[in-house]
Amino acid sequence: MPYTKRMEELVAERVPFVHAVVVRAQLPTAVSPGDDAIILSDGSIEGFVGGQCAESSVRTAALSALSDGRTVLLRVLPEGDPGFPDSPGAQVVVNHCLSGGALEIFLQPLLPPPVLWVVGSSPIATALAALAGPLDFTVRPADASPGPAGATAAVVCSHGRGEPEAIRAALEAGVGYVGLVASRRRGASVLEDMGLSEEERRRVHSPAGLGIGARTAPEIALSILAEIVTVIRTGDLARAGGR
């Protein structure tokens, strides 16, 4: 495909985008099956998957796909034209300014893997790093550049060492999920002494992890990752300030 190199560059730079590929095209449309384009989060389109009218429908669907991470099979039909036989699961739009020729376009969002910033060298930190990899997280140790900047989630599991400083750094970096591994009582004391705003306190999860009765380090790491995945998939992370 003509945009393979550009896609590789965007992936390397951790830039989210949608790859749009024309699956079917009906005359007199100017595109052919296999034509593709890249749509960025600002709505700009690199490539050609139809004229101005088709582009507007593709842009709208692509931005929605970037938001929820789901692939879309988009059918763009001119007004009054039945177009192609129905495709199960396709999203159908009727574009009133489309001059003719139905289009079917596959939109695939490519989002950078979430970054997990891990503070501490405890057994829980080691277990987090081991379990996060298969879940497609990029694990960034606390001492690695650029720190919490750009991280999706941060987990502080240093058992009392530098906890307020690490939590503050993650909050100031805009990390949406900040987990503190501590008992409920000790965690509450740490956070109370920090004087967090209501918005900041909402982003800090203490004790980190879902209540699954975890006891061992791997079980605790599992509960934390389950909580992070939950807030990512439900959209709570985006509302909190992360990706």
Side-chain angles (χ1 to χ4, degrees):
M1 296 181 183
Y3 290 94
T4 300
K5 184 176 181 180
R6 175 61 172 150
M7 290 167 61
E8 291 174 349
E9 292 172 351
L10 293 172
V11 169
E13 295 168 4
R14 294 185 55 82
V15 176
F17 66 96
V18 169
H19 185 213
V21 181
V22 176
V23 178
R24 293 194 290 181
Q26 188 181 67
L27 294 175
T29 184
V31 296
S32 302
D35 289 346
D36 67 337
I38 291 168
I39 301 93
L40 302 177
S41 58
D42 63 358
S44 60
I45 298 179
E46 301 177 12
F48 185 69
V49 287
Q52 182 177 356
C53 294
E55 273 194 356
S56 65
S57 297
V58 170
R59 180 180 291 107
T60 299
L63 294 179
S64 177
L66 277 177
S67 176
D68 62 24
R70 298 180 181 179
T71 57
V72 177
L73 180 60
L74 179 69
R75 301 177 70 229
V76 186
L77 307 178
E79 190 172 19
D81 189 334
F84 303 115
D86 190 26
S87 299
Q91 176 180 323
V92 180
V93 295
V94 176
N95 196 310
H96 300 291
C97 73
L98 201 66
S99 59
L103 294 171
E104 198 163 75
I105 302 168
F106 182 70
L107 306 175
Q108 180 181 16
L110 287 105
L111 306 174
V115 173
L116 176 62
W117 190 57
V118 179
V119 180
S121 55
S122 64
I124 294 174
T126 301
L128 275 170
L131 292 176
L135 294 176
D136 199 29
F137 281 81
T138 296
V139 179
R140 184 187 298 163
D143 57 357
S145 179
T152 310
V155 178
V156 180
C157 41
S158 54
H159 296 299
R161 299 180 182 88
E163 290 172 335
E165 295 80 5
I167 293 169
R168 174 55 60 193
L171 290 172
E172 292 183 353
V175 180
Y177 173 99
V178 182
L180 173 61
V181 177
S183 68
R184 191 172 302 277
R185 182 175 180 179
R186 190 177 74 78
S189 176
V190 170
L191 299 179
E192 184 177 352
D193 290 344
M194 290 183 64
L196 301 175
S197 68
E198 182 178 339
E199 187 274 337
E200 289 174 332
R201 182 63 186 86
R202 191 166 56 248
R203 288 155 59 192
V204 181
H205 298 248
S206 178
L210 299 180
I212 62 173
R215 294 183 179 180
T216 67
E219 289 174 350
I220 294 170
L222 174 64
S223 74
I224 295 170
L225 287 168
E227 185 173 51
I228 294 173
V229 170
T230 297
V231 296
I232 289 175
R233 296 306 184 197
T234 61
D236 289 342
L237 191 61
R239 286 193 289 272
R243 185 181 73 81

